[in-house]
Amino acid sequence: MKRKTLKGVFEMSVSRRDLLKATGVGVALAATGGAFNFTFAKTTDTLNLPKPSKGSPRVVIVGGGWSGSTLAKYIKKNDPNIDVVLIEKNNVFMSCPVSNLWLVDLVDLEFLIHDHLKAADKYGYHFVNAEVHDIDRKKRVVYTSLGKLHYDYLVLATGIDYDYSQWVGTDPKDIEIAMKRYPAAFKPGEEHFQLKKKIRDFEEGNFVITVPPGIDYRCIPGPYERATLIAWYFKQNNIPGKVILLDPHNDPPVKAEGFHKAWNEYVKGYIEYYPQTDIKEVDFGKKRIVTSLGDFDFTDLNLYPRCKSAPLVYKAGLVPKGDRWPALRWPWYMAQADERIFCTGDARNQPFSKSGNTANSEAHIVADLIVKLAHGKSMDYKPPRTLCYSGVDKGKAVWVDLTYKYDPKKNEFAFHNVKMDNNPTEANWKAYLEWAKAMYRDMFS
């Protein structure tokens, strides 16, 4: 299989600076999945990979984000004899955590981009740049755009999808407008490049950002950090506009004090916050959002709706009717419908924060679990850790650090050992960047 290298993508991207550079990588990221779609007719052929050694199981991981990349590396580190295949539609990794800083030029694109192939070569797992179309649970086979593949254990680290039905309805044309013209930009790739261009092109008026209801959306503080930093960008560049943040919650669910401090001290006049605001309808033609507090006109819009499972998880029959997430065997990650399938990272249904650090720490646990299961052993439950930073000004950040406690009698999880620093400081900013570097090293180095 001919593999496209990250070096080639970077050479294309760094030949021009700023947006042209970003757009170059964006095209590569956006086009990767489609690049192999012409091979769809081959999905009944078997992928040409070396067979696992006799007696060694094969673990197939779908999705090369924070969870899938960590799992691939640590299953191989824990047991080099296990055959591990990581299938990812994008040929390079782009981080969603820290991307809000990149949107307003506080970090370079290179900070977010990492190489799947280098890590695969170093740790001995297979990286397949393809898209998974279907799963045959009975035969334990996944069907990809490059061919089919048998598995002994399957991990669906497929991230999130967007559910526009609440605000936009179910008309495919309206959903397409929402996705293409007003992307949520919480799935790394093309959406982020579109949003960055919107911010740069914005000249004046209202830039509306929405917060999804509930707390089962990707990156709970993400919309608040993004709104704060875009307001900061408008202020720094003397743009006569303001960010309008529409939030169904009573207050930001985490780091509220830190965000309010930033809005009052750093970006006052450039941001308006509307809590307890339920969106009823989005009128794209009139550029208007109808809410429980009245109508809001927008010049541009970053529409982040409710989240749900990726289509493949539904297709595998793992999501109960009327639900948006797979039914799992708590506290673990095996599907209720199939003990050979695990859902991890933002694809899980546990009430953990859908964040990078949670996905990474959880992947260490699941890697250990899969290796033990492959050897007929069991292990005690360990909860993941959520450590999450948010930038609130250039060189200033706040953070929250917590874990979770499982009650087997009630089959419930609760936040545990919560620590938080709502004082925007330079030390927190430095810790933010060092944390990200450490996470990238843990996944790829």
PDB file of all heavy atoms in Angstrom, residues 43-74:
ATOM      1  N   THR A  43     -14.209  -3.407  -1.277  1.00  0.00           N
ATOM      2  CA  THR A  43     -14.450  -3.678   0.130  1.00  0.00           C
ATOM      3  C   THR A  43     -14.654  -5.152   0.428  1.00  0.00           C
ATOM      4  O   THR A  43     -14.575  -5.563   1.563  1.00  0.00           O
ATOM      5  CB  THR A  43     -15.678  -2.900   0.639  1.00  0.00           C
ATOM      6  OG1 THR A  43     -16.776  -3.191  -0.218  1.00  0.00           O
ATOM      7  CG2 THR A  43     -15.415  -1.422   0.675  1.00  0.00           C
ATOM      8  N   THR A  44     -14.966  -5.951  -0.586  1.00  0.00           N
ATOM      9  CA  THR A  44     -15.118  -7.385  -0.331  1.00  0.00           C
ATOM     10  C   THR A  44     -13.784  -8.117  -0.409  1.00  0.00           C
ATOM     11  O   THR A  44     -13.699  -9.287  -0.055  1.00  0.00           O
ATOM     12  CB  THR A  44     -16.099  -8.014  -1.333  1.00  0.00           C
ATOM     13  OG1 THR A  44     -15.664  -7.724  -2.654  1.00  0.00           O
ATOM     14  CG2 THR A  44     -17.513  -7.474  -1.122  1.00  0.00           C
ATOM     15  N   ASP A  45     -12.732  -7.441  -0.910  1.00  0.00           N
ATOM     16  CA  ASP A  45     -11.399  -8.033  -0.895  1.00  0.00           C
ATOM     17  C   ASP A  45     -10.815  -7.901   0.512  1.00  0.00           C
ATOM     18  O   ASP A  45     -11.136  -6.976   1.252  1.00  0.00           O
ATOM     19  CB  ASP A  45     -10.466  -7.321  -1.887  1.00  0.00           C
ATOM     20  CG  ASP A  45     -10.960  -7.449  -3.316  1.00  0.00           C
ATOM     21  OD1 ASP A  45     -11.723  -8.401  -3.576  1.00  0.00           O
ATOM     22  OD2 ASP A  45     -10.603  -6.592  -4.141  1.00  0.00           O
ATOM     23  N   THR A  46      -9.917  -8.799   0.842  1.00  0.00           N
ATOM     24  CA  THR A  46      -9.278  -8.724   2.153  1.00  0.00           C
ATOM     25  C   THR A  46      -8.089  -7.775   2.099  1.00  0.00           C
ATOM     26  O   THR A  46      -7.293  -7.819   1.151  1.00  0.00           O
ATOM     27  CB  THR A  46      -8.805 -10.122   2.601  1.00  0.00           C
ATOM     28  OG1 THR A  46      -9.951 -10.979   2.681  1.00  0.00           O
ATOM     29  CG2 THR A  46      -8.132 -10.062   3.959  1.00  0.00           C
ATOM     30  N   LEU A  47      -7.987  -6.905   3.090  1.00  0.00           N
ATOM     31  CA  LEU A  47      -6.849  -5.983   3.157  1.00  0.00           C
ATOM     32  C   LEU A  47      -5.543  -6.767   3.198  1.00  0.00           C
ATOM     33  O   LEU A  47      -5.419  -7.759   3.910  1.00  0.00           O
ATOM     34  CB  LEU A  47      -6.955  -5.128   4.411  1.00  0.00           C
ATOM     35  CG  LEU A  47      -7.560  -3.737   4.266  1.00  0.00           C
ATOM     36  CD1 LEU A  47      -7.787  -3.126   5.636  1.00  0.00           C
ATOM     37  CD2 LEU A  47      -6.651  -2.847   3.448  1.00  0.00           C
ATOM     38  N   ASN A  48      -4.589  -6.291   2.436  1.00  0.00           N
ATOM     39  CA  ASN A  48      -3.317  -6.990   2.332  1.00  0.00           C
ATOM     40  C   ASN A  48      -2.386  -6.579   3.475  1.00  0.00           C
ATOM     41  O   ASN A  48      -1.526  -5.713   3.328  1.00  0.00           O
ATOM     42  CB  ASN A  48      -2.672  -6.688   0.981  1.00  0.00           C
ATOM     43  CG  ASN A  48      -1.408  -7.497   0.756  1.00  0.00           C
ATOM     44  OD1 ASN A  48      -1.226  -8.559   1.369  1.00  0.00           O
ATOM     45  ND2 ASN A  48      -0.540  -7.009  -0.111  1.00  0.00           N
ATOM     46  N   LEU A  49      -2.596  -7.205   4.632  1.00  0.00           N
ATOM     47  CA  LEU A  49      -1.739  -6.953   5.793  1.00  0.00           C
ATOM     48  C   LEU A  49      -1.112  -8.275   6.237  1.00  0.00           C
ATOM     49  O   LEU A  49      -1.702  -9.344   6.028  1.00  0.00           O
ATOM     50  CB  LEU A  49      -2.569  -6.391   6.954  1.00  0.00           C
ATOM     51  CG  LEU A  49      -3.109  -4.974   6.808  1.00  0.00           C
ATOM     52  CD1 LEU A  49      -3.955  -4.629   8.033  1.00  0.00           C
ATOM     53  CD2 LEU A  49      -1.981  -3.959   6.663  1.00  0.00           C
ATOM     54  N   PRO A  50       0.053  -8.236   6.861  1.00  0.00           N
ATOM     55  CA  PRO A  50       0.638  -9.471   7.397  1.00  0.00           C
ATOM     56  C   PRO A  50      -0.317 -10.122   8.392  1.00  0.00           C
ATOM     57  O   PRO A  50      -0.951  -9.431   9.194  1.00  0.00           O
ATOM     58  CB  PRO A  50       1.913  -8.990   8.097  1.00  0.00           C
ATOM     59  CG  PRO A  50       2.218  -7.669   7.472  1.00  0.00           C
ATOM     60  CD  PRO A  50       0.908  -7.065   7.090  1.00  0.00           C
ATOM     61  N   LYS A  51      -0.426 -11.434   8.352  1.00  0.00           N
ATOM     62  CA  LYS A  51      -1.315 -12.136   9.270  1.00  0.00           C
ATOM     63  C   LYS A  51      -0.719 -12.137  10.684  1.00  0.00           C
ATOM     64  O   LYS A  51       0.505 -12.183  10.840  1.00  0.00           O
ATOM     65  CB  LYS A  51      -1.531 -13.569   8.792  1.00  0.00           C
ATOM     66  CG  LYS A  51      -2.356 -13.676   7.516  1.00  0.00           C
ATOM     67  CD  LYS A  51      -2.605 -15.122   7.159  1.00  0.00           C
ATOM     68  CE  LYS A  51      -3.468 -15.216   5.901  1.00  0.00           C
ATOM     69  NZ  LYS A  51      -3.714 -16.622   5.496  1.00  0.00           N
ATOM     70  N   PRO A  52      -1.594 -12.065  11.691  1.00  0.00           N
ATOM     71  CA  PRO A  52      -1.065 -12.161  13.074  1.00  0.00           C
ATOM     72  C   PRO A  52      -0.354 -13.489  13.284  1.00  0.00           C
ATOM     73  O   PRO A  52      -0.681 -14.485  12.645  1.00  0.00           O
ATOM     74  CB  PRO A  52      -2.342 -12.089  13.936  1.00  0.00           C
ATOM     75  CG  PRO A  52      -3.398 -11.543  13.056  1.00  0.00           C
ATOM     76  CD  PRO A  52      -3.049 -11.923  11.652  1.00  0.00           C
ATOM     77  N   SER A  53       0.661 -13.505  14.175  1.00  0.00           N
ATOM     78  CA  SER A  53       1.321 -14.780  14.460  1.00  0.00           C
ATOM     79  C   SER A  53       0.334 -15.742  15.117  1.00  0.00           C
ATOM     80  O   SER A  53      -0.679 -15.323  15.685  1.00  0.00           O
ATOM     81  CB  SER A  53       2.508 -14.605  15.376  1.00  0.00           C
ATOM     82  OG  SER A  53       2.632 -13.365  15.861  1.00  0.00           O
ATOM     83  N   LYS A  54       0.641 -17.001  14.998  1.00  0.00           N
ATOM     84  CA  LYS A  54      -0.263 -18.049  15.463  1.00  0.00           C
ATOM     85  C   LYS A  54      -0.592 -17.857  16.946  1.00  0.00           C
ATOM     86  O   LYS A  54       0.304 -17.712  17.774  1.00  0.00           O
ATOM     87  CB  LYS A  54       0.381 -19.432  15.235  1.00  0.00           C
ATOM     88  CG  LYS A  54      -0.573 -20.577  15.463  1.00  0.00           C
ATOM     89  CD  LYS A  54       0.093 -21.894  15.120  1.00  0.00           C
ATOM     90  CE  LYS A  54      -0.893 -23.052  15.337  1.00  0.00           C
ATOM     91  NZ  LYS A  54      -0.258 -24.348  15.040  1.00  0.00           N
ATOM     92  N   GLY A  55      -1.864 -17.863  17.244  1.00  0.00           N
ATOM     93  CA  GLY A  55      -2.296 -17.711  18.634  1.00  0.00           C
ATOM     94  C   GLY A  55      -2.389 -16.274  19.108  1.00  0.00           C
ATOM     95  O   GLY A  55      -2.800 -16.029  20.240  1.00  0.00           O
ATOM     96  N   SER A  56      -1.992 -15.319  18.256  1.00  0.00           N
ATOM     97  CA  SER A  56      -2.043 -13.900  18.659  1.00  0.00           C
ATOM     98  C   SER A  56      -3.324 -13.257  18.137  1.00  0.00           C
ATOM     99  O   SER A  56      -3.646 -13.395  16.957  1.00  0.00           O
ATOM    100  CB  SER A  56      -0.836 -13.142  18.098  1.00  0.00           C
ATOM    101  OG  SER A  56       0.354 -13.653  18.624  1.00  0.00           O
ATOM    102  N   PRO A  57      -4.053 -12.571  18.980  1.00  0.00           N
ATOM    103  CA  PRO A  57      -5.278 -11.925  18.526  1.00  0.00           C
ATOM    104  C   PRO A  57      -4.988 -10.655  17.727  1.00  0.00           C
ATOM    105  O   PRO A  57      -3.913 -10.072  17.832  1.00  0.00           O
ATOM    106  CB  PRO A  57      -5.999 -11.593  19.832  1.00  0.00           C
ATOM    107  CG  PRO A  57      -4.900 -11.419  20.823  1.00  0.00           C
ATOM    108  CD  PRO A  57      -3.818 -12.371  20.422  1.00  0.00           C
ATOM    109  N   ARG A  58      -5.987 -10.253  16.956  1.00  0.00           N
ATOM    110  CA  ARG A  58      -5.887  -8.981  16.222  1.00  0.00           C
ATOM    111  C   ARG A  58      -6.876  -7.986  16.824  1.00  0.00           C
ATOM    112  O   ARG A  58      -8.063  -8.289  16.970  1.00  0.00           O
ATOM    113  CB  ARG A  58      -6.184  -9.171  14.737  1.00  0.00           C
ATOM    114  CG  ARG A  58      -6.374  -7.851  13.985  1.00  0.00           C
ATOM    115  CD  ARG A  58      -6.505  -8.074  12.501  1.00  0.00           C
ATOM    116  NE  ARG A  58      -5.172  -8.235  11.901  1.00  0.00           N
ATOM    117  CZ  ARG A  58      -4.985  -8.699  10.662  1.00  0.00           C
ATOM    118  NH1 ARG A  58      -6.032  -9.045   9.936  1.00  0.00           N
ATOM    119  NH2 ARG A  58      -3.763  -8.814  10.178  1.00  0.00           N
ATOM    120  N   VAL A  59      -6.373  -6.801  17.159  1.00  0.00           N
ATOM    121  CA  VAL A  59      -7.220  -5.708  17.641  1.00  0.00           C
ATOM    122  C   VAL A  59      -7.300  -4.663  16.537  1.00  0.00           C
ATOM    123  O   VAL A  59      -6.273  -4.138  16.101  1.00  0.00           O
ATOM    124  CB  VAL A  59      -6.645  -5.065  18.926  1.00  0.00           C
ATOM    125  CG1 VAL A  59      -7.550  -3.928  19.390  1.00  0.00           C
ATOM    126  CG2 VAL A  59      -6.487  -6.112  20.022  1.00  0.00           C
ATOM    127  N   VAL A  60      -8.496  -4.385  16.075  1.00  0.00           N
ATOM    128  CA  VAL A  60      -8.705  -3.339  15.076  1.00  0.00           C
ATOM    129  C   VAL A  60      -9.291  -2.118  15.782  1.00  0.00           C
ATOM    130  O   VAL A  60     -10.284  -2.230  16.515  1.00  0.00           O
ATOM    131  CB  VAL A  60      -9.648  -3.817  13.952  1.00  0.00           C
ATOM    132  CG1 VAL A  60     -10.010  -2.663  13.020  1.00  0.00           C
ATOM    133  CG2 VAL A  60      -8.986  -4.933  13.153  1.00  0.00           C
ATOM    134  N   ILE A  61      -8.667  -0.979  15.575  1.00  0.00           N
ATOM    135  CA  ILE A  61      -9.116   0.281  16.185  1.00  0.00           C
ATOM    136  C   ILE A  61      -9.588   1.198  15.065  1.00  0.00           C
ATOM    137  O   ILE A  61      -8.818   1.496  14.140  1.00  0.00           O
ATOM    138  CB  ILE A  61      -7.974   0.950  16.969  1.00  0.00           C
ATOM    139  CG1 ILE A  61      -7.449   0.013  18.055  1.00  0.00           C
ATOM    140  CG2 ILE A  61      -8.441   2.278  17.572  1.00  0.00           C
ATOM    141  CD1 ILE A  61      -6.109   0.452  18.639  1.00  0.00           C
ATOM    142  N   VAL A  62     -10.809   1.652  15.154  1.00  0.00           N
ATOM    143  CA  VAL A  62     -11.348   2.567  14.150  1.00  0.00           C
ATOM    144  C   VAL A  62     -11.336   3.972  14.735  1.00  0.00           C
ATOM    145  O   VAL A  62     -12.046   4.255  15.701  1.00  0.00           O
ATOM    146  CB  VAL A  62     -12.774   2.179  13.732  1.00  0.00           C
ATOM    147  CG1 VAL A  62     -13.289   3.128  12.649  1.00  0.00           C
ATOM    148  CG2 VAL A  62     -12.813   0.741  13.235  1.00  0.00           C
ATOM    149  N   GLY A  63     -10.542   4.849  14.156  1.00  0.00           N
ATOM    150  CA  GLY A  63     -10.446   6.220  14.637  1.00  0.00           C
ATOM    151  C   GLY A  63      -9.096   6.494  15.256  1.00  0.00           C
ATOM    152  O   GLY A  63      -8.723   5.884  16.257  1.00  0.00           O
ATOM    153  N   GLY A  64      -8.351   7.422  14.647  1.00  0.00           N
ATOM    154  CA  GLY A  64      -7.002   7.742  15.107  1.00  0.00           C
ATOM    155  C   GLY A  64      -6.917   9.066  15.822  1.00  0.00           C
ATOM    156  O   GLY A  64      -5.975   9.830  15.616  1.00  0.00           O
ATOM    157  N   GLY A  65      -7.891   9.351  16.683  1.00  0.00           N
ATOM    158  CA  GLY A  65      -7.834  10.565  17.492  1.00  0.00           C
ATOM    159  C   GLY A  65      -7.066  10.318  18.777  1.00  0.00           C
ATOM    160  O   GLY A  65      -6.190   9.451  18.840  1.00  0.00           O
ATOM    161  N   TRP A  66      -7.409  11.060  19.818  1.00  0.00           N
ATOM    162  CA  TRP A  66      -6.688  10.958  21.090  1.00  0.00           C
ATOM    163  C   TRP A  66      -6.822   9.571  21.699  1.00  0.00           C
ATOM    164  O   TRP A  66      -5.877   9.040  22.273  1.00  0.00           O
ATOM    165  CB  TRP A  66      -7.199  12.022  22.067  1.00  0.00           C
ATOM    166  CG  TRP A  66      -6.680  13.382  21.768  1.00  0.00           C
ATOM    167  CD1 TRP A  66      -6.871  14.099  20.608  1.00  0.00           C
ATOM    168  CD2 TRP A  66      -5.880  14.195  22.623  1.00  0.00           C
ATOM    169  NE1 TRP A  66      -6.229  15.303  20.694  1.00  0.00           N
ATOM    170  CE2 TRP A  66      -5.627  15.403  21.921  1.00  0.00           C
ATOM    171  CE3 TRP A  66      -5.378  14.043  23.912  1.00  0.00           C
ATOM    172  CZ2 TRP A  66      -4.865  16.428  22.473  1.00  0.00           C
ATOM    173  CZ3 TRP A  66      -4.628  15.074  24.465  1.00  0.00           C
ATOM    174  CH2 TRP A  66      -4.374  16.246  23.745  1.00  0.00           C
ATOM    175  N   SER A  67      -8.001   8.975  21.585  1.00  0.00           N
ATOM    176  CA  SER A  67      -8.203   7.654  22.165  1.00  0.00           C
ATOM    177  C   SER A  67      -7.553   6.569  21.311  1.00  0.00           C
ATOM    178  O   SER A  67      -6.754   5.771  21.812  1.00  0.00           O
ATOM    179  CB  SER A  67      -9.712   7.373  22.295  1.00  0.00           C
ATOM    180  OG  SER A  67      -9.938   6.074  22.780  1.00  0.00           O
ATOM    181  N   GLY A  68      -7.888   6.536  20.021  1.00  0.00           N
ATOM    182  CA  GLY A  68      -7.404   5.467  19.151  1.00  0.00           C
ATOM    183  C   GLY A  68      -5.888   5.449  19.021  1.00  0.00           C
ATOM    184  O   GLY A  68      -5.262   4.369  19.052  1.00  0.00           O
ATOM    185  N   SER A  69      -5.272   6.615  18.885  1.00  0.00           N
ATOM    186  CA  SER A  69      -3.812   6.667  18.741  1.00  0.00           C
ATOM    187  C   SER A  69      -3.117   6.167  20.004  1.00  0.00           C
ATOM    188  O   SER A  69      -2.112   5.448  19.943  1.00  0.00           O
ATOM    189  CB  SER A  69      -3.363   8.100  18.419  1.00  0.00           C
ATOM    190  OG  SER A  69      -3.917   8.528  17.190  1.00  0.00           O
ATOM    191  N   THR A  70      -3.645   6.563  21.163  1.00  0.00           N
ATOM    192  CA  THR A  70      -3.054   6.116  22.427  1.00  0.00           C
ATOM    193  C   THR A  70      -3.221   4.610  22.592  1.00  0.00           C
ATOM    194  O   THR A  70      -2.293   3.903  23.005  1.00  0.00           O
ATOM    195  CB  THR A  70      -3.717   6.842  23.618  1.00  0.00           C
ATOM    196  OG1 THR A  70      -3.670   8.254  23.398  1.00  0.00           O
ATOM    197  CG2 THR A  70      -3.014   6.505  24.924  1.00  0.00           C
ATOM    198  N   LEU A  71      -4.407   4.103  22.268  1.00  0.00           N
ATOM    199  CA  LEU A  71      -4.664   2.665  22.384  1.00  0.00           C
ATOM    200  C   LEU A  71      -3.714   1.847  21.523  1.00  0.00           C
ATOM    201  O   LEU A  71      -3.151   0.841  21.973  1.00  0.00           O
ATOM    202  CB  LEU A  71      -6.104   2.384  21.962  1.00  0.00           C
ATOM    203  CG  LEU A  71      -7.148   2.408  23.083  1.00  0.00           C
ATOM    204  CD1 LEU A  71      -8.538   2.571  22.501  1.00  0.00           C
ATOM    205  CD2 LEU A  71      -7.056   1.123  23.890  1.00  0.00           C
ATOM    206  N   ALA A  72      -3.552   2.262  20.266  1.00  0.00           N
ATOM    207  CA  ALA A  72      -2.695   1.501  19.348  1.00  0.00           C
ATOM    208  C   ALA A  72      -1.278   1.382  19.917  1.00  0.00           C
ATOM    209  O   ALA A  72      -0.680   0.305  19.931  1.00  0.00           O
ATOM    210  CB  ALA A  72      -2.684   2.172  17.982  1.00  0.00           C
ATOM    211  N   LYS A  73      -0.763   2.489  20.396  1.00  0.00           N
ATOM    212  CA  LYS A  73       0.604   2.488  20.931  1.00  0.00           C
ATOM    213  C   LYS A  73       0.716   1.617  22.179  1.00  0.00           C
ATOM    214  O   LYS A  73       1.639   0.783  22.288  1.00  0.00           O
ATOM    215  CB  LYS A  73       1.029   3.923  21.256  1.00  0.00           C
ATOM    216  CG  LYS A  73       2.354   4.033  22.002  1.00  0.00           C
ATOM    217  CD  LYS A  73       2.710   5.484  22.302  1.00  0.00           C
ATOM    218  CE  LYS A  73       3.922   5.567  23.232  1.00  0.00           C
ATOM    219  NZ  LYS A  73       4.299   6.977  23.522  1.00  0.00           N
ATOM    220  N   TYR A  74      -0.226   1.754  23.103  1.00  0.00           N
ATOM    221  CA  TYR A  74      -0.041   1.098  24.396  1.00  0.00           C
ATOM    222  C   TYR A  74      -0.462  -0.365  24.396  1.00  0.00           C
ATOM    223  O   TYR A  74       0.025  -1.130  25.244  1.00  0.00           O
ATOM    224  CB  TYR A  74      -0.714   1.911  25.508  1.00  0.00           C
ATOM    225  CG  TYR A  74       0.185   3.060  25.892  1.00  0.00           C
ATOM    226  CD1 TYR A  74       0.040   4.307  25.300  1.00  0.00           C
ATOM    227  CD2 TYR A  74       1.241   2.865  26.777  1.00  0.00           C
ATOM    228  CE1 TYR A  74       0.898   5.359  25.609  1.00  0.00           C
ATOM    229  CE2 TYR A  74       2.109   3.905  27.092  1.00  0.00           C
ATOM    230  CZ  TYR A  74       1.943   5.140  26.510  1.00  0.00           C
ATOM    231  OH  TYR A  74       2.817   6.158  26.800  1.00  0.00           O
TER     232      TYR A  74
END
